[in-house]
Amino acid sequence: MKNTLRLLPLILIFACNTGPTKDTGKKQLDLLAQKYVRLGLNIGQYDPDFVDAYYGPDSLKPASKQGSFPKDSFLAEVDALKKALQDISGATDNDTIRIRANWITQQLTAFSRRIRIFSGEFKPFDEESKELFGAVAPVYPEEHYRSLVAELDSLLPGKGPVPERFQQLANRFVIPKDKLDTVFKTGIEEARKRTLQHYDLPSTESFTLEYVSGKPWMGYNWYKGNYKSLIQISADLKIFIEKAIDLGCHEGYPGHHVYNMLLEKNLYHDKGWVEISLYPLFSPQSLIAEGSANYGIEIAFPGEEKTTFTKAVLLPLAGLDTTGITAYFKALDIKGRLNYARNEVARGMLNGSMSDSTAVQWLLNYTLLNREAAEKGLQFIRKNRSYVINYNYGQDLIKNYINTKTAAGQPEKRWDAFGYLLSNQITPADLIKAGGTK
């Protein structure tokens, strides 16, 4: 009893010393998170593409833009924040504080690179993508893409150049303009139904669907906060039948709309982590967002289910013949693997080793886009630069990550692992480490 009583003062001292230290660390981190958000919103006043979404407190919004772009002061603020975050991370034994500090630090590295890009200071493609998105996509020689195109040669009907034959097959499945809304809403609703079987989404969640023109992208999710999204579909070009599922999943369920909702609910509202209320487009968060949105298609429609649903439901709704749809979806699988050619086009354009005409020809030959879509693809690269790696390499990193967390033949476990990914501050470095990918 005496020994126990002697220990009590030491226990009380330890409790008094450790409790406030952890609380102080959290308070310091919360203040730095607010400064991070303020900085991002300030940069967004000058760079209109910087902030993709914000649903945090109005008190953190800047009053007004003042003068010309203050590049040097922005960079100094980034460096000061990173130093303060590194000090907190190094001094704490609290894993949550360390994870948050590390996540914000990696986002700030992207801030620095984007500030310089906006000021006209550029780096080679791979260095840029590393600083912006935390990853460097693999490089494949042209022969790699030639071999994939050769796989299509025996699959596609008819004779002649493979890209032309692919377009001929694809043109059978263009959604008529007057059927577009019905087909898309049906595809999105099916994706939503499948997602709701696995996740309890906020009861007030919803989206608005719009059709727009003159954009460099096929679809976009503008997350508005409070579990609401505006989903826009670019309807000035041909829209093929698979896009009703692909864009429905990517922009909606279980893609961007679900990702943003889960972060808002689980991290911002439930935990009060204000840093998550700001989504900077050119940041590591976009590799997670785009990669998970693309992989979400496979999660929601595994195996042959996409083909089956398209054949049974979407094609009849569109008034289209189902003949050739199986071959078309097999061709689309190969086309998906060809998507890395976009990286080579962007890498060549940004590094100055590929002309615009050569870039268009690559997109026609190796990504199997029609000429109109290839021109739009070129616009996207000019505007968004190394962002293209987030779709293909991001998807592969997400897939590898999910595979390491689940055993084969356990679809429910895949949904669980995917939900964890969408609800936490996972970084590209975490994906690379977990998946064993360099």
Side-chain angles (χ1 to χ4, degrees):
M1 176 63 74
K2 288 181 180 179
N3 288 339
T4 303
L5 291 174
R6 287 188 188 124
L7 287 172
L8 281 175
L10 293 174
I11 293 170
L12 290 172
I13 290 170
F14 181 76
C16 290
N17 286 341
T18 56
T21 300
K22 291 181 180 179
D23 187 55
T24 300
K26 181 182 182 305
K27 286 181 178 177
Q28 290 175 337
L29 183 55
D30 287 343
L31 289 173
L32 291 175
Q34 291 179 17
K35 290 182 178 180
Y36 159 83
V37 171
R38 281 198 185 97
L39 174 59
L41 294 176
N42 272 322
I43 297 169
Q45 288 190 106
Y46 300 88
D47 180 351
D49 297 317
F50 191 87
V51 177
D52 193 69
Y54 178 65
Y55 46 82
D58 289 340
S59 61
L60 297 182
K61 293 180 179 178
S64 61
K65 181 172 67 173
Q66 302 194 2
S68 57
F69 186 64
K71 169 193 159 189
D72 292 337
S73 63
F74 280 156
L75 290 173
E77 193 170 349
V78 167
D79 290 342
L81 278 173
K82 288 177 71 174
K83 174 66 167 58
L85 288 162
Q86 287 162 2
D87 288 346
I88 286 178
S89 179
T92 187
D93 59 357
N94 185 303
D95 287 341
T96 299
I97 290 175
R98 189 180 298 113
I99 288 169
R100 285 182 67 194
N102 178 60
W103 186 88
I104 300 172
T105 298
Q106 292 189 39
Q107 295 281 103
L108 285 166
T109 296
F111 278 28
S112 180
R113 171 48 38 204
R114 180 63 188 182
I115 290 166
R116 288 182 165 88
I117 290 172
F118 189 72
S119 303
E121 294 181 20
F122 306 112
K123 278 189 173 182
F125 180 88
D126 290 336
E127 292 181 45
E128 177 182 300
S129 74
K130 178 66 173 177
E131 291 186 27
L132 286 179
F133 309 115
V136 175
V139 178
Y140 295 105
E142 189 171 2
E143 182 54 38
H144 170 75
Y145 303 107
R146 287 198 185 109
S147 66
L148 288 173
V149 171
E151 283 187 44
L152 284 168
D153 195 15
S154 59
L155 176 64
L156 296 170
K159 295 181 179 180
V162 168
E164 292 179 13
R165 287 157 57 203
F166 175 80
Q167 289 303 324
Q168 288 170 2
L169 178 59
N171 286 339
R172 299 183 193 177
F173 306 111
V174 176
I175 305 171
K177 293 282 187 182
D178 62 335
K179 305 287 188 182
L180 193 60
D181 191 55
T182 299
V183 172
F184 258 84
K185 285 180 177 175
T186 301
I188 294 173
E189 184 53 39
E190 179 65 18
R192 182 176 183 272
K193 183 181 77 173
R194 291 171 180 235
T195 301
L196 285 170
Q197 291 172 358
H198 303 277
Y199 303 149
D200 291 325
L201 301 180
S203 60
T204 57
E205 67 91 9
S206 66
F207 67 91
T208 302
L209 185 63
E210 288 184 355
Y211 302 93
V212 297
S213 61
K215 305 295 183 181
W217 34 257
M218 280 297 300
Y220 209 105
N221 178 299
W222 302 97
Y223 190 66
K224 302 299 183 180
N226 295 315
Y227 316 130
K228 313 290 185 188
S229 287
L230 168 63
I231 296 176
Q232 292 183 327
I233 304 299
S234 184
D236 48 354
L237 302 181
K238 295 175 183 177
I239 299 184
F240 301 94
I241 195 69
E242 75 277 4
K243 295 301 180 183
I245 290 177
D246 290 354
L247 293 177
C249 289
H250 184 102
E251 309 299 345
Y253 308 85
H256 292 325
H257 182 55
V258 173
Y259 174 61
N260 284 303
M261 280 195 296
L262 292 181
L263 289 180
E264 181 181 2
K265 180 189 179 299
N266 296 327
L267 300 189
Y268 179 62
H269 290 303
D270 292 356
K271 295 185 177 180
W273 296 0
V274 72
E275 68 269 19
I276 211 70
S277 67
L278 173 74
Y279 175 16
L281 184 63
F282 296 95
S283 70
Q285 191 175 351
S286 278
L287 184 135
I288 307 297
E290 302 295 1
S292 62
N294 267 359
Y295 184 64
I297 303 167
E298 182 179 331
I299 286 278
F301 291 85
E304 299 296 316
E305 291 186 25
K306 182 176 167 183
T307 306
T308 301
F309 184 77
T310 301
K311 188 174 183 178
V313 178
L314 297 183
L315 287 172
L317 272 181
L320 298 174
D321 191 347
T322 61
T323 303
I325 192 63
T326 301
Y328 179 55
F329 273 98
K330 287 180 180 178
L332 286 174
D333 286 341
I334 298 174
K335 185 176 184 289
R337 286 185 279 155
L338 282 163
N339 192 258
Y340 271 89
R342 291 179 73 201
N343 295 0
E344 300 310 322
V345 170
R347 185 179 277 115
M349 290 177 64
L350 269 59
N351 292 350
S353 60
M354 186 178 287
S355 66
D356 283 3
S357 59
T358 302
V360 168
Q361 201 58 51
W362 262 68
L363 292 175
L364 293 172
N365 291 346
Y366 299 131
T367 66
L368 305 181
L369 297 175
N370 58 36
R371 185 162 290 276
E372 287 179 322
E375 292 291 349
K376 188 182 283 281
L378 217 59
Q379 292 175 31
F380 185 92
I381 291 169
R382 289 194 192 102
K383 181 177 177 60
N384 297 293
R385 302 175 59 83
S386 58
Y387 195 93
V388 293
I389 76 159
N390 295 326
Y391 298 100
N392 43 58
Y393 190 45
Q395 178 180 353
D396 284 348
L397 287 175
I398 297 288
K399 184 173 184 175
N400 290 340
Y401 174 86
I402 298 298
N403 286 343
T404 63
K405 303 294 182 183
T406 59
Q410 292 184 305
E412 185 60 42
K413 295 295 184 183
R414 285 208 307 172
W415 279 98
D416 290 345
F418 193 64
Y420 178 86
L421 173 77
L422 298 183
S423 304
N424 289 278
Q425 288 179 327
I426 305 297
T427 68
D430 295 329
L431 300 181
I432 292 168
K433 181 179 179 180
T437 305
K438 294 183 180 180

